[in-house]
Amino acid sequence: MKTENYSRMGSQVKNVAEFAERARDLSAKVKERLDATYNDFGRSMQRAKTAAEDRIEDVRDQVRSRPLASVAAVAGVAFGIGIVTGWLLGRNTRSES
């Protein structure tokens, strides 16, 4: 009887050890994937930062070479946004009455 209990306990300990080994393997794989994702994200952010800096520099060069056209373009866009905003706000006020 005691031999059966020891045998059962031995197999249970073996199962627990296998489970622990699988958990360690899974943990290592998750850590590797997380590290790879973090590194990919860092590279993507660096590329986005570089692209934004390049675009800002292009805009600065354009403004320096054609300041009047740049001011006119900004004024036109601001006027257009004002017109659309006023129309939307006026439409909401009329529909509530």
PDB file of all heavy atoms in Angstrom, residues 54-76:
ATOM      1  N   ASP A  54      12.484  65.605 -41.212  1.00  0.00           N
ATOM      2  CA  ASP A  54      12.746  65.924 -42.619  1.00  0.00           C
ATOM      3  C   ASP A  54      11.629  66.775 -43.205  1.00  0.00           C
ATOM      4  O   ASP A  54      11.877  67.738 -43.932  1.00  0.00           O
ATOM      5  CB  ASP A  54      12.891  64.645 -43.446  1.00  0.00           C
ATOM      6  CG  ASP A  54      14.167  63.882 -43.131  1.00  0.00           C
ATOM      7  OD1 ASP A  54      15.070  64.466 -42.485  1.00  0.00           O
ATOM      8  OD2 ASP A  54      14.254  62.696 -43.522  1.00  0.00           O
ATOM      9  N   ARG A  55      10.381  66.420 -42.881  1.00  0.00           N
ATOM     10  CA  ARG A  55       9.241  67.183 -43.407  1.00  0.00           C
ATOM     11  C   ARG A  55       9.229  68.605 -42.853  1.00  0.00           C
ATOM     12  O   ARG A  55       8.950  69.561 -43.583  1.00  0.00           O
ATOM     13  CB  ARG A  55       7.939  66.461 -43.055  1.00  0.00           C
ATOM     14  CG  ARG A  55       6.742  67.085 -43.673  1.00  0.00           C
ATOM     15  CD  ARG A  55       6.804  66.982 -45.188  1.00  0.00           C
ATOM     16  NE  ARG A  55       5.706  67.757 -45.753  1.00  0.00           N
ATOM     17  CZ  ARG A  55       5.802  68.519 -46.803  1.00  0.00           C
ATOM     18  NH1 ARG A  55       6.934  68.617 -47.455  1.00  0.00           N
ATOM     19  NH2 ARG A  55       4.764  69.184 -47.230  1.00  0.00           N
ATOM     20  N   ILE A  56       9.536  68.747 -41.570  1.00  0.00           N
ATOM     21  CA  ILE A  56       9.594  70.092 -40.968  1.00  0.00           C
ATOM     22  C   ILE A  56      10.670  70.927 -41.646  1.00  0.00           C
ATOM     23  O   ILE A  56      10.468  72.106 -41.942  1.00  0.00           O
ATOM     24  CB  ILE A  56       9.820  69.997 -39.446  1.00  0.00           C
ATOM     25  CG1 ILE A  56       8.552  69.491 -38.763  1.00  0.00           C
ATOM     26  CG2 ILE A  56      10.244  71.332 -38.863  1.00  0.00           C
ATOM     27  CD1 ILE A  56       8.734  69.158 -37.292  1.00  0.00           C
ATOM     28  N   GLU A  57      11.806  70.313 -41.911  1.00  0.00           N
ATOM     29  CA  GLU A  57      12.893  71.037 -42.590  1.00  0.00           C
ATOM     30  C   GLU A  57      12.472  71.441 -44.002  1.00  0.00           C
ATOM     31  O   GLU A  57      12.777  72.558 -44.453  1.00  0.00           O
ATOM     32  CB  GLU A  57      14.159  70.177 -42.630  1.00  0.00           C
ATOM     33  CG  GLU A  57      15.380  70.911 -43.121  1.00  0.00           C
ATOM     34  CD  GLU A  57      15.739  72.124 -42.259  1.00  0.00           C
ATOM     35  OE1 GLU A  57      15.563  72.083 -41.029  1.00  0.00           O
ATOM     36  OE2 GLU A  57      16.200  73.136 -42.843  1.00  0.00           O
ATOM     37  N   ASP A  58      11.744  70.561 -44.706  1.00  0.00           N
ATOM     38  CA  ASP A  58      11.244  70.905 -46.044  1.00  0.00           C
ATOM     39  C   ASP A  58      10.296  72.101 -45.978  1.00  0.00           C
ATOM     40  O   ASP A  58      10.358  73.006 -46.814  1.00  0.00           O
ATOM     41  CB  ASP A  58      10.516  69.716 -46.675  1.00  0.00           C
ATOM     42  CG  ASP A  58      11.459  68.582 -47.029  1.00  0.00           C
ATOM     43  OD1 ASP A  58      12.692  68.811 -47.076  1.00  0.00           O
ATOM     44  OD2 ASP A  58      10.957  67.456 -47.258  1.00  0.00           O
ATOM     45  N   VAL A  59       9.413  72.100 -44.986  1.00  0.00           N
ATOM     46  CA  VAL A  59       8.463  73.211 -44.834  1.00  0.00           C
ATOM     47  C   VAL A  59       9.212  74.501 -44.519  1.00  0.00           C
ATOM     48  O   VAL A  59       8.898  75.565 -45.068  1.00  0.00           O
ATOM     49  CB  VAL A  59       7.418  72.886 -43.749  1.00  0.00           C
ATOM     50  CG1 VAL A  59       6.596  74.109 -43.383  1.00  0.00           C
ATOM     51  CG2 VAL A  59       6.507  71.753 -44.205  1.00  0.00           C
ATOM     52  N   ARG A  60      10.199  74.427 -43.646  1.00  0.00           N
ATOM     53  CA  ARG A  60      10.994  75.626 -43.323  1.00  0.00           C
ATOM     54  C   ARG A  60      11.681  76.177 -44.561  1.00  0.00           C
ATOM     55  O   ARG A  60      11.708  77.399 -44.774  1.00  0.00           O
ATOM     56  CB  ARG A  60      12.032  75.301 -42.252  1.00  0.00           C
ATOM     57  CG  ARG A  60      11.451  75.161 -40.883  1.00  0.00           C
ATOM     58  CD  ARG A  60      12.527  74.870 -39.859  1.00  0.00           C
ATOM     59  NE  ARG A  60      11.933  74.724 -38.548  1.00  0.00           N
ATOM     60  CZ  ARG A  60      12.456  74.045 -37.560  1.00  0.00           C
ATOM     61  NH1 ARG A  60      13.621  73.441 -37.716  1.00  0.00           N
ATOM     62  NH2 ARG A  60      11.853  73.943 -36.404  1.00  0.00           N
ATOM     63  N   ASP A  61      12.250  75.280 -45.369  1.00  0.00           N
ATOM     64  CA  ASP A  61      12.906  75.731 -46.601  1.00  0.00           C
ATOM     65  C   ASP A  61      11.910  76.389 -47.547  1.00  0.00           C
ATOM     66  O   ASP A  61      12.207  77.423 -48.160  1.00  0.00           O
ATOM     67  CB  ASP A  61      13.582  74.548 -47.310  1.00  0.00           C
ATOM     68  CG  ASP A  61      14.794  74.030 -46.559  1.00  0.00           C
ATOM     69  OD1 ASP A  61      15.311  74.750 -45.682  1.00  0.00           O
ATOM     70  OD2 ASP A  61      15.203  72.877 -46.847  1.00  0.00           O
ATOM     71  N   GLN A  62      10.717  75.815 -47.645  1.00  0.00           N
ATOM     72  CA  GLN A  62       9.690  76.377 -48.516  1.00  0.00           C
ATOM     73  C   GLN A  62       9.254  77.752 -48.028  1.00  0.00           C
ATOM     74  O   GLN A  62       9.065  78.676 -48.816  1.00  0.00           O
ATOM     75  CB  GLN A  62       8.488  75.417 -48.559  1.00  0.00           C
ATOM     76  CG  GLN A  62       7.472  75.730 -49.597  1.00  0.00           C
ATOM     77  CD  GLN A  62       7.957  75.413 -51.000  1.00  0.00           C
ATOM     78  OE1 GLN A  62       9.083  74.997 -51.228  1.00  0.00           O
ATOM     79  NE2 GLN A  62       7.093  75.637 -51.958  1.00  0.00           N
ATOM     80  N   VAL A  63       9.098  77.903 -46.707  1.00  0.00           N
ATOM     81  CA  VAL A  63       8.685  79.201 -46.146  1.00  0.00           C
ATOM     82  C   VAL A  63       9.781  80.238 -46.376  1.00  0.00           C
ATOM     83  O   VAL A  63       9.494  81.395 -46.714  1.00  0.00           O
ATOM     84  CB  VAL A  63       8.353  79.066 -44.640  1.00  0.00           C
ATOM     85  CG1 VAL A  63       8.200  80.423 -43.973  1.00  0.00           C
ATOM     86  CG2 VAL A  63       7.086  78.243 -44.460  1.00  0.00           C
ATOM     87  N   ARG A  64      11.036  79.847 -46.220  1.00  0.00           N
ATOM     88  CA  ARG A  64      12.138  80.797 -46.449  1.00  0.00           C
ATOM     89  C   ARG A  64      12.206  81.231 -47.902  1.00  0.00           C
ATOM     90  O   ARG A  64      12.491  82.393 -48.206  1.00  0.00           O
ATOM     91  CB  ARG A  64      13.467  80.157 -46.051  1.00  0.00           C
ATOM     92  CG  ARG A  64      13.691  80.104 -44.579  1.00  0.00           C
ATOM     93  CD  ARG A  64      15.114  79.622 -44.255  1.00  0.00           C
ATOM     94  NE  ARG A  64      15.161  79.221 -42.858  1.00  0.00           N
ATOM     95  CZ  ARG A  64      15.424  77.995 -42.419  1.00  0.00           C
ATOM     96  NH1 ARG A  64      15.710  77.027 -43.276  1.00  0.00           N
ATOM     97  NH2 ARG A  64      15.422  77.723 -41.131  1.00  0.00           N
ATOM     98  N   SER A  65      11.960  80.300 -48.813  1.00  0.00           N
ATOM     99  CA  SER A  65      12.091  80.647 -50.230  1.00  0.00           C
ATOM    100  C   SER A  65      10.870  81.413 -50.753  1.00  0.00           C
ATOM    101  O   SER A  65      10.994  82.208 -51.677  1.00  0.00           O
ATOM    102  CB  SER A  65      12.322  79.389 -51.065  1.00  0.00           C
ATOM    103  OG  SER A  65      11.194  78.547 -51.023  1.00  0.00           O
ATOM    104  N   ARG A  66       9.685  81.193 -50.167  1.00  0.00           N
ATOM    105  CA  ARG A  66       8.471  81.868 -50.638  1.00  0.00           C
ATOM    106  C   ARG A  66       7.625  82.304 -49.442  1.00  0.00           C
ATOM    107  O   ARG A  66       6.573  81.736 -49.165  1.00  0.00           O
ATOM    108  CB  ARG A  66       7.683  80.910 -51.504  1.00  0.00           C
ATOM    109  CG  ARG A  66       8.514  80.402 -52.687  1.00  0.00           C
ATOM    110  CD  ARG A  66       7.852  79.293 -53.398  1.00  0.00           C
ATOM    111  NE  ARG A  66       6.760  79.819 -54.229  1.00  0.00           N
ATOM    112  CZ  ARG A  66       5.994  79.047 -54.949  1.00  0.00           C
ATOM    113  NH1 ARG A  66       6.143  77.764 -54.944  1.00  0.00           N
ATOM    114  NH2 ARG A  66       5.034  79.579 -55.676  1.00  0.00           N
ATOM    115  N   PRO A  67       8.056  83.331 -48.718  1.00  0.00           N
ATOM    116  CA  PRO A  67       7.337  83.716 -47.496  1.00  0.00           C
ATOM    117  C   PRO A  67       5.921  84.244 -47.758  1.00  0.00           C
ATOM    118  O   PRO A  67       5.005  83.932 -47.007  1.00  0.00           O
ATOM    119  CB  PRO A  67       8.217  84.787 -46.870  1.00  0.00           C
ATOM    120  CG  PRO A  67       9.106  85.265 -47.951  1.00  0.00           C
ATOM    121  CD  PRO A  67       9.237  84.155 -48.936  1.00  0.00           C
ATOM    122  N   LEU A  68       5.733  85.026 -48.811  1.00  0.00           N
ATOM    123  CA  LEU A  68       4.396  85.577 -49.071  1.00  0.00           C
ATOM    124  C   LEU A  68       3.401  84.479 -49.457  1.00  0.00           C
ATOM    125  O   LEU A  68       2.251  84.482 -48.998  1.00  0.00           O
ATOM    126  CB  LEU A  68       4.447  86.647 -50.158  1.00  0.00           C
ATOM    127  CG  LEU A  68       5.190  87.933 -49.757  1.00  0.00           C
ATOM    128  CD1 LEU A  68       5.230  88.902 -50.930  1.00  0.00           C
ATOM    129  CD2 LEU A  68       4.527  88.567 -48.557  1.00  0.00           C
ATOM    130  N   ALA A  69       3.826  83.553 -50.269  1.00  0.00           N
ATOM    131  CA  ALA A  69       2.946  82.450 -50.667  1.00  0.00           C
ATOM    132  C   ALA A  69       2.598  81.589 -49.443  1.00  0.00           C
ATOM    133  O   ALA A  69       1.473  81.109 -49.313  1.00  0.00           O
ATOM    134  CB  ALA A  69       3.610  81.599 -51.742  1.00  0.00           C
ATOM    135  N   SER A  70       3.556  81.423 -48.544  1.00  0.00           N
ATOM    136  CA  SER A  70       3.310  80.635 -47.339  1.00  0.00           C
ATOM    137  C   SER A  70       2.288  81.306 -46.435  1.00  0.00           C
ATOM    138  O   SER A  70       1.368  80.660 -45.927  1.00  0.00           O
ATOM    139  CB  SER A  70       4.616  80.425 -46.564  1.00  0.00           C
ATOM    140  OG  SER A  70       5.551  79.742 -47.355  1.00  0.00           O
ATOM    141  N   VAL A  71       2.433  82.608 -46.257  1.00  0.00           N
ATOM    142  CA  VAL A  71       1.477  83.352 -45.418  1.00  0.00           C
ATOM    143  C   VAL A  71       0.098  83.312 -46.062  1.00  0.00           C
ATOM    144  O   VAL A  71      -0.920  83.120 -45.376  1.00  0.00           O
ATOM    145  CB  VAL A  71       1.959  84.805 -45.205  1.00  0.00           C
ATOM    146  CG1 VAL A  71       0.881  85.658 -44.571  1.00  0.00           C
ATOM    147  CG2 VAL A  71       3.218  84.812 -44.352  1.00  0.00           C
ATOM    148  N   ALA A  72       0.036  83.472 -47.381  1.00  0.00           N
ATOM    149  CA  ALA A  72      -1.256  83.433 -48.079  1.00  0.00           C
ATOM    150  C   ALA A  72      -1.905  82.053 -47.943  1.00  0.00           C
ATOM    151  O   ALA A  72      -3.123  81.959 -47.741  1.00  0.00           O
ATOM    152  CB  ALA A  72      -1.062  83.787 -49.547  1.00  0.00           C
ATOM    153  N   ALA A  73      -1.119  81.012 -48.045  1.00  0.00           N
ATOM    154  CA  ALA A  73      -1.664  79.655 -47.912  1.00  0.00           C
ATOM    155  C   ALA A  73      -2.217  79.421 -46.511  1.00  0.00           C
ATOM    156  O   ALA A  73      -3.313  78.874 -46.341  1.00  0.00           O
ATOM    157  CB  ALA A  73      -0.584  78.621 -48.230  1.00  0.00           C
ATOM    158  N   VAL A  74      -1.476  79.845 -45.493  1.00  0.00           N
ATOM    159  CA  VAL A  74      -1.945  79.686 -44.113  1.00  0.00           C
ATOM    160  C   VAL A  74      -3.210  80.501 -43.892  1.00  0.00           C
ATOM    161  O   VAL A  74      -4.165  80.031 -43.257  1.00  0.00           O
ATOM    162  CB  VAL A  74      -0.836  80.072 -43.116  1.00  0.00           C
ATOM    163  CG1 VAL A  74      -1.386  80.149 -41.698  1.00  0.00           C
ATOM    164  CG2 VAL A  74       0.311  79.074 -43.184  1.00  0.00           C
ATOM    165  N   ALA A  75      -3.245  81.705 -44.415  1.00  0.00           N
ATOM    166  CA  ALA A  75      -4.430  82.550 -44.257  1.00  0.00           C
ATOM    167  C   ALA A  75      -5.637  81.919 -44.959  1.00  0.00           C
ATOM    168  O   ALA A  75      -6.749  81.918 -44.419  1.00  0.00           O
ATOM    169  CB  ALA A  75      -4.162  83.947 -44.807  1.00  0.00           C
ATOM    170  N   GLY A  76      -5.438  81.377 -46.135  1.00  0.00           N
ATOM    171  CA  GLY A  76      -6.529  80.725 -46.861  1.00  0.00           C
ATOM    172  C   GLY A  76      -7.074  79.515 -46.121  1.00  0.00           C
ATOM    173  O   GLY A  76      -8.288  79.317 -46.021  1.00  0.00           O
TER     174      GLY A  76
END
